[in-house]
Amino acid sequence: MAHLLQQNVLVVCSCGSLKPLTKLYFCRHCVVLRCGYCVSQEVDSIYCSNCLENLASSEAKLKKNRCGACFDCPCCFHTLTIRATTVSRINTQPEGSPASASKTSVKSYYLSCFFCRWTSRDAKIPDQPTATSSNWPEHENPHVARISSLIEYYKIITLRERLEKENRMFLHSSRRNYQHFSEKFGLTAMLARKRAGLPPLSLGRDDSSSTPQVTPAEASEEVEALPENIFSEPVNVLKLTSLPQRYVIPDLQPEFVADLFPIHKQLFIKRSQRCKSCLHNIFKPEYGPASIKFKIHLAAYYYVPEIRIMEMIKAKSGKATELCLKISNPAQISTQIQFLQLIDVPEESPQIEVPIVDEKKDDTGDKKSLTGVTTAQKKAYPLEKPRIVKYELNSEIILPNVTFHLPARDDTAEYDDSSESQPTPDHISVVWKKGNKLVVKFSVIPNEDLVDQDEIRIGFIMRYTYHDKIISPLEQKEGKDVNIDVRHYLNVGSIE
């Protein structure tokens, strides 16, 4: 797994961002690379990573995105577990009874952390007779009434502003008839109340009596005095809480370790990612918190040939040095690879046309495809101009002028010891070849102005063949081969 964290090989996204290959996505409909800035995030489900309970968005919002059954350690933030202990109690008999005193064992439960050995007993929380989470006491925020009143106040203000905005929008619209206004603003109900002799209803725009009155906060010049022994007694750092421990409990922010309390575990979300250009799903997990499978997983790591640096080089300024790069084909279809020199970044972003499989019309009159994406929705995310890549190159690379063939990935060939590596005699730059993997030799010439310990940065374009089956399903059902250019920037070593 070391290559997953390798930051020496960077790939340019369609927006111009430099990312490792493991952090990029591949849109099969646009046939381009997408990064986290080129996709829209959608929340599929909210769940707890410990008990795997699935919660609705309204319920998660009510619980402040915290699980009510699981707790985190306030010291090291690991998950707390419920441990059982046995307590012996002596049952005393009344005087004059022949039976003697007897002992009974009673089970009790407490929270414990297996990492830092913190327990709920350190916070002076009594052991509970049952293991249910509802019995554990909680510290309440002393300012909860003030916060609740502010939240309700701003909710009403937001609702009024939204109503005023909608009213202005509909009043300025010239395509609305009398029936629409009567249904929207309740003119029919107002006439009915007037005929019955009832007072008219307020529209809520000028009624200030329904707005809750909130006392504004006032600054005070009086500051709480410091304790008298602050300068006389030494400070014990082990008894004081750190900044992360205080920030994780923002409502209390305890000062001492003895005041720490178990924290309800933060909820996690399963999200799906959608391409902003064609609005097709790029990454979509299975429904349910316990599932780790994916319905759609278009990571670039499974579609774009991967380049790894075999060994970091030590070179001298102005002298050619050999560099070996390993290329592997992760796809299930063979591909052709060719290396080209870098070209200038185009000023305008490429216009990508997404074909519509079967055009229909929805209720609004817009054309709609089988995927449920209307043409009006496609204009919601306009393509931005690609950013200029800020990666300064200080070395020249000599690329082989030959096309390399990489077979499809075969998982069984990885464990086949009989197949030996056979170098391809077609070109002298091929060092080693086996299955879908290939090692190619390049020549790197650093600039003469480089000094010791300077990084050697190079760049090139890798053109590979992708078998496309989605871009034109009506014209060619079997698909066609598309050449895709991917820009790479590498940090291959340093000057000695």
Side-chain angles (χ1 to χ4, degrees), residues 255-452:
E255 183 180 355
F256 300 98
V257 177
D259 298 334
L260 291 175
F261 222 70
I263 311 166
H264 284 278
K265 198 169 187 62
Q266 186 78 30
L267 295 178
F268 283 75
I269 63 172
K270 273 194 174 182
R271 57 180 181 175
S272 61
Q273 297 168 346
R274 192 182 296 272
C275 177
K276 289 185 178 181
S277 175
C278 62
L279 296 182
H280 286 87
N281 277 323
I282 294 179
F283 181 88
K284 187 173 182 62
E286 289 279 358
Y287 182 76
S291 177
I292 59 175
K293 298 180 180 180
F294 301 94
K295 288 183 179 179
I296 302 174
H297 194 184
L298 302 182
Y301 182 76
Y302 298 102
Y303 291 90
V304 182
E306 181 192 6
I307 295 179
R308 303 186 197 176
I309 301 175
M310 295 295 293
E311 185 178 359
M312 303 295 286
I313 62 174
K314 292 286 186 179
K316 294 183 179 180
S317 302
K319 294 185 179 181
T321 307
E322 291 184 356
L323 171 67
C324 292
L325 299 179
K326 183 179 180 181
I327 304 104
S328 58
N329 180 23
Q332 301 295 332
I333 301 175
S334 61
T335 182
Q336 305 287 336
I337 295 180
Q338 186 179 3
F339 296 97
L340 306 173
Q341 295 290 344
L342 285 173
I343 59 176
D344 296 335
V345 179
E347 296 181 358
E348 297 182 357
S349 60
Q351 300 296 329
I352 301 170
E353 297 181 359
V354 182
I356 299 178
V357 180
D358 186 13
E359 292 184 352
K360 296 182 180 180
K361 287 188 177 181
D362 56 0
D363 298 336
T364 60
D366 293 332
K367 292 181 179 179
K368 189 175 182 182
S369 63
L370 289 178
T371 55
V373 181
T374 60
T375 55
Q377 291 175 342
K378 291 182 182 179
K379 299 179 181 179
Y381 300 101
L383 291 177
E384 299 180 357
K385 292 184 178 180
R387 305 179 182 89
I388 299 177
V389 179
K390 297 181 180 179
Y391 196 91
E392 184 180 356
L393 303 179
N394 54 16
S395 302
E396 180 185 358
I397 181 172
I398 301 176
L399 303 173
N401 189 14
V402 65
T403 301
F404 302 98
H405 175 76
L406 281 180
R409 179 182 177 181
D410 187 8
D411 295 334
T412 59
E414 297 288 336
Y415 306 98
D416 189 7
D417 298 335
S418 61
S419 59
E420 299 179 357
S421 61
Q422 298 177 358
T424 305
D426 297 340
H427 200 270
I428 58 175
S429 60
V430 177
V431 179
W432 174 83
K433 183 178 181 181
K434 180 180 179 181
N436 64 328
K437 299 177 182 179
L438 179 71
V439 177
V440 184
K441 179 174 58 177
F442 300 86
S443 294
V444 178
I445 304 177
N447 294 342
E448 296 182 355
D449 56 349
L450 297 180
V451 296
D452 292 345

Side-chain angles (χ1 to χ4, degrees), residues 44-326:
D44 282 353
S45 60
I46 306 174
Y47 70 100
C48 175
S49 60
N50 187 42
C51 63
L52 301 180
E53 181 184 1
N54 198 359
L55 286 83
S57 58
S58 58
E59 185 179 359
K61 185 178 179 180
L62 184 63
K63 294 183 178 181
K64 301 179 181 179
N65 291 329
R66 299 280 181 175
C67 180
C70 306
F71 295 90
D72 283 341
C73 177
C75 291
C76 62
F77 313 126
H78 284 73
T79 305
L80 294 176
T81 57
I82 300 177
R83 300 192 67 179
T85 182
T86 304
V87 180
S88 299
R89 294 182 180 179
I90 300 176
N91 297 329
T92 57
Q93 300 293 334
E95 296 181 359
S97 60
S100 59
S102 61
K103 292 183 179 181
T104 58
S105 298
V106 179
K107 273 191 174 183
S108 60
Y109 302 89
Y110 65 97
L111 297 174
S112 175
C113 177
F114 286 161
F115 187 79
C116 66
R117 301 302 179 183
W118 185 89
T119 61
S120 58
R121 297 173 178 176
D122 298 340
K124 299 179 181 180
I125 300 176
D127 296 350
Q128 302 299 320
T130 59
T132 56
S133 60
S134 59
N135 294 334
W136 300 103
E138 299 181 5
H139 275 314
E140 294 185 359
N141 187 4
H143 308 287
V144 63
R146 171 72 174 175
I147 295 174
S148 300
S149 61
L150 290 176
I151 291 176
E152 294 296 331
Y153 174 77
Y154 285 110
K155 278 184 179 180
I156 295 176
I157 296 297
T158 304
L159 181 60
R160 288 190 175 183
E161 291 179 353
R162 186 184 304 171
L163 290 176
E164 291 178 359
K165 185 178 179 180
E166 292 180 357
N167 293 342
R168 288 196 302 267
M169 182 178 61
F170 281 99
L171 286 174
H172 288 82
S173 178
S174 60
R175 295 182 295 177
R176 306 295 178 182
N177 52 13
Y178 174 78
Q179 183 180 2
H180 173 79
F181 279 102
S182 62
E183 294 177 357
K184 178 66 179 177
F185 298 102
L187 299 180
T188 307
M190 293 173 60
L191 292 176
R193 293 182 64 86
K194 186 175 181 181
R195 291 175 183 176
L198 298 175
L201 294 173
S202 175
L203 295 179
R205 292 191 299 267
D206 301 328
D207 189 11
S208 59
S209 60
S210 61
T211 305
Q213 300 296 328
V214 178
T215 306
E218 297 181 358
S220 177
E221 297 182 357
E222 298 181 359
V223 182
E224 185 178 357
L226 295 175
E228 298 179 356
N229 56 356
I230 188 172
F231 297 108
S232 59
E233 296 183 0
V235 179
N236 190 358
V237 184
L238 299 178
K239 294 183 179 181
L240 300 177
T241 56
S242 59
L243 288 180
Q245 293 173 352
R246 298 187 187 187
Y247 291 159
V248 80
I249 314 176
D251 51 350
L252 299 176
Q253 295 188 8
E255 183 180 355
F256 300 98
V257 177
D259 298 334
L260 291 175
F261 222 70
I263 311 166
H264 284 278
K265 198 169 187 62
Q266 186 78 30
L267 295 178
F268 283 75
I269 63 172
K270 273 194 174 182
R271 57 180 181 175
S272 61
Q273 297 168 346
R274 192 182 296 272
C275 177
K276 289 185 178 181
S277 175
C278 62
L279 296 182
H280 286 87
N281 277 323
I282 294 179
F283 181 88
K284 187 173 182 62
E286 289 279 358
Y287 182 76
S291 177
I292 59 175
K293 298 180 180 180
F294 301 94
K295 288 183 179 179
I296 302 174
H297 194 184
L298 302 182
Y301 182 76
Y302 298 102
Y303 291 90
V304 182
E306 181 192 6
I307 295 179
R308 303 186 197 176
I309 301 175
M310 295 295 293
E311 185 178 359
M312 303 295 286
I313 62 174
K314 292 286 186 179
K316 294 183 179 180
S317 302
K319 294 185 179 181
T321 307
E322 291 184 356
L323 171 67
C324 292
L325 299 179
K326 183 179 180 181

